[in-house]
Amino acid sequence: MGLLQKMLKQRRDSLEVFQQQSRTDEGLTDFNAETLRNHIAVLASDSLLGRMPFTEGETRTIRYLEQEFTSLGLEPGNGTSYLQDVPMVNILATASPSMKVLGSRGSFNLKAYDDYVIWTDKTDSIITLQDAELVFAGFGVVAPEYQWNDYEGLDVKGKVVMVMVNDPGFWVGDTSLFKGAEMTYYGRWTYKFEEAARQGAKGCLIVHNTAAASYPFIVQQNGFNSPRLQLDNRGKDVKNCDVIGWINEQSANRLLLAAGMDSTMLTRANKRGFKAAPLNLALSTSMNVKATYNLSHNVLAKITGTKRPEEVIIYSAHWDHFGVAKPDETGDSIYNGALDNATGTAGLLELARVFKNLKVKPERTIIFLSVTAEEQGLWGSAYYSQNPVFPLTKTIANINMDGLNPYDSTKAAF
Ligand SMILES: [Zn+2]
């Protein structure tokens, strides 16, 4: 390449950078705080009833999102519809008031709510534990990459496992063990229930600890005997334990004592080489279950790309919150969820408006996806990824917004 050609090319390159820069600026300067605020005000208003899936609050929320996407001139994201049906089931388990513990030294009862909180992801009308053997399974973790397996050599089929919350690294604070104080995926309560089910356990009780769980036991107690949402898994091979839940530390220690052990067993579980052990205790209790099937909805809109329309970029935000529940001290029973996640959903709408207004249209297809039932277990997202409207192999990125910065301008970002 000659010098002149080189100079010309450099000039072309820098012009392109300049043009790209001005395109970015065009989008950035179009964002409008007032529009964002208005969306938040509507989404967090009492009339949307806390945006609980399956309720009038859902109907009103998804209607608002549909209306906004329509008036922005966005195309429906799912064929001719802005909605994706998400088949779900509402499971209301009512636990019997106590759990009988039978050991070699006699029996005693633990009290539901006070000592433990249980529920189920199963839809059978009655769930029972009948003299189910209890096994202390450490952290209930199988993590080959950390050379850790609490279930090694342990047969827990048909039994109840009691496991510690978080992961061993948290308790030891040593980064050579898992990720130290930073919780890994293995520390999550959902993982522990799933792993227990994979191992064939009939039940899984997590020993609560406020620091390790990052919230007090009352949070679990508040959810006792209240409805929980799940994806409708009828006809699918999904493994669940019959009984899952939390037990407080005091009651866990009482169980260890009844088994002739002591509380040091809990602290020994975070050392390498710890061997999980049957406790020779048998648990009995039951739950009545009422399952109600219904449809919830993800809402999605799109802007078709100009050059590579088959490739998609997804912006997402969950629209749901906790609905109407226990009143606070002022008697207000609507959980408005202004931050979590009216802000993210409002951000999605404002982002859609700005994208739609761009003079230079995006080359890839942009999807604006507002998902349901995040608070109950990320179900809307799970359903979308199991039933994607656009092939996952052509999905380049997903940028999710859960709670926008409510404090002040983020000066550091640009
Ligand atoms: Zn959220």
Side-chain angles (χ1 to χ4, degrees):
M1 203 185 280
L3 184 63
L4 188 65
Q5 280 169 308
K6 258 190 198 162
M7 281 171 65
L8 274 174
K9 185 181 179 306
Q10 270 169 6
R11 170 141 174 78
R12 263 203 313 275
D13 288 352
S14 58
L15 206 65
E16 223 162 76
V17 169
F18 175 75
Q19 280 167 348
Q20 277 169 6
Q21 187 71 45
S22 58
R23 274 183 219 167
T24 321
D25 287 352
E26 182 205 332
L28 280 181
T29 51
D30 196 21
F31 281 103
N32 187 305
E34 199 54 38
T35 318
L36 191 70
R37 206 173 290 129
N38 288 341
H39 286 313
I40 297 171
V42 174
L43 289 163
S45 66
D46 281 355
S47 77
L48 263 56
L49 300 162
R51 304 186 307 281
M52 181 70 173
F54 280 14
T55 66
E56 177 62 20
E58 160 159 2
T59 310
R60 293 181 190 178
T61 305
I62 64 174
R63 191 185 301 143
Y64 180 71
L65 293 173
E66 269 190 285
Q67 279 167 1
E68 291 303 305
F69 283 138
T70 308
S71 71
L72 289 172
L74 264 67
E75 305 155 64
N78 188 14
T80 56
S81 175
Y82 288 102
L83 303 181
Q84 179 185 40
D85 289 348
V86 181
M88 297 189 74
V89 57
N90 190 359
I91 302 174
L92 175 61
T94 309
S96 61
S98 65
M99 182 186 286
K100 189 180 152 204
V101 182
L102 178 65
S104 56
R105 308 173 191 186
S107 72
F108 61 94
N109 282 337
L110 291 177
K111 272 180 82 182
Y113 184 86
D114 288 347
D115 300 331
Y116 65 91
V117 172
I118 52 171
W119 69 95
T120 186
D121 286 335
K122 290 204 165 176
T123 51
D124 311 45
S125 57
I126 296 176
I127 300 272
T128 44
L129 288 182
Q130 185 64 51
D131 290 325
E133 203 183 306
L134 181 66
V135 176
F136 177 60
F139 284 86
V141 165
V142 180
E145 69 273 43
Y146 297 112
Q147 300 85 47
W148 194 278
N149 184 353
D150 285 312
Y151 285 104
E152 197 171 2
L154 205 61
D155 175 19
V156 296
K157 287 196 179 55
K159 302 172 186 174
V160 176
V161 292
M162 182 164 83
V163 299
M164 306 266 290
V165 65
N166 213 313
D167 64 41
F170 174 85
W171 294 91
V172 177
D174 175 354
T175 47
S176 68
L177 201 59
F178 287 68
K179 286 189 175 173
E182 184 191 333
M183 185 168 77
T184 65
Y185 167 69
Y186 298 107
R188 298 177 67 96
W189 52 277
T190 46
Y191 163 78
K192 292 174 193 284
F193 294 150
E194 286 163 12
E195 189 57 56
R198 273 194 289 275
Q199 300 289 336
K202 194 173 170 68
C204 179
L205 294 174
I206 303 175
V207 181
H208 182 270
N209 172 282
T210 301
S214 81
Y215 42 77
F217 193 58
I218 184 76
V219 172
Q220 293 305 331
Q221 290 174 312
N222 283 343
F224 182 57
N225 283 353
S226 57
R228 289 168 195 262
L229 295 179
Q230 262 277 359
L231 288 183
D232 175 358
N233 286 322
R234 283 176 294 183
K236 291 191 189 130
D237 183 27
V238 176
K239 286 191 173 55
N240 282 316
C241 292
D242 284 4
V243 176
I244 50 182
W246 293 76
I247 183 165
N248 65 23
E249 252 178 333
Q250 198 186 348
S251 305
N253 282 326
R254 200 173 161 198
L255 289 174
L256 292 175
L257 222 59
M261 319 269 181
D262 62 42
S263 59
T264 60
M265 188 147 191
L266 297 179
T267 48
R268 275 187 285 129
N270 53 37
K271 305 231 168 32
R272 282 200 186 281
F274 170 78
K275 279 267 166 279
L279 297 179
N280 299 317
L281 297 175
L283 306 181
S284 303
T285 191
S286 67
M287 278 184 274
N288 288 322
V289 179
K290 196 169 169 290
T292 316
Y293 292 89
N294 209 334
L295 288 179
S296 187
H297 302 85
N298 290 334
V299 189
L300 65 166
K302 69 172 175 178
I303 298 172
T304 301
T306 52
K307 286 195 182 156
R308 284 178 280 177
E310 72 288 356
E311 292 184 4
V312 303
I313 293 187
I314 303 179
Y315 288 95
S316 58
H318 74 87
W319 57 254
D320 65 298
H321 194 64
F322 291 107
V324 180
K326 216 169 119 185
D328 66 11
E329 58 283 359
T330 67
D332 184 356
S333 60
I334 299 176
Y335 288 62
N336 302 78
L339 173 61
D340 183 12
N341 188 25
T343 56
T345 312
L348 193 71
L349 292 171
E350 178 59 356
L351 203 58
R353 185 186 69 76
V354 170
F355 260 107
K356 183 68 186 166
N357 278 351
L358 287 175
K359 287 192 194 73
V360 181
K361 303 299 175 200
E363 295 183 5
R364 289 182 172 123
T365 295
I366 313 287
I367 311 294
F368 302 92
L369 171 65
S370 192
V371 288
T372 181
E374 188 270 353
E375 305 292 3
Q376 311 274 341
L378 303 159
W379 298 124
S381 306
Y383 186 80
Y384 181 90
S385 42
Q386 289 161 21
N387 306 271
V389 177
F390 303 90
L392 295 183
T393 50
K394 295 281 183 190
T395 302
I396 308 301
N398 172 211
I399 298 160
N400 186 59
M401 293 172 283
D402 199 349
L404 299 186
N405 172 12
Y407 302 106
D408 204 341
S409 57
T410 311
K411 294 192 182 77
F414 292 102

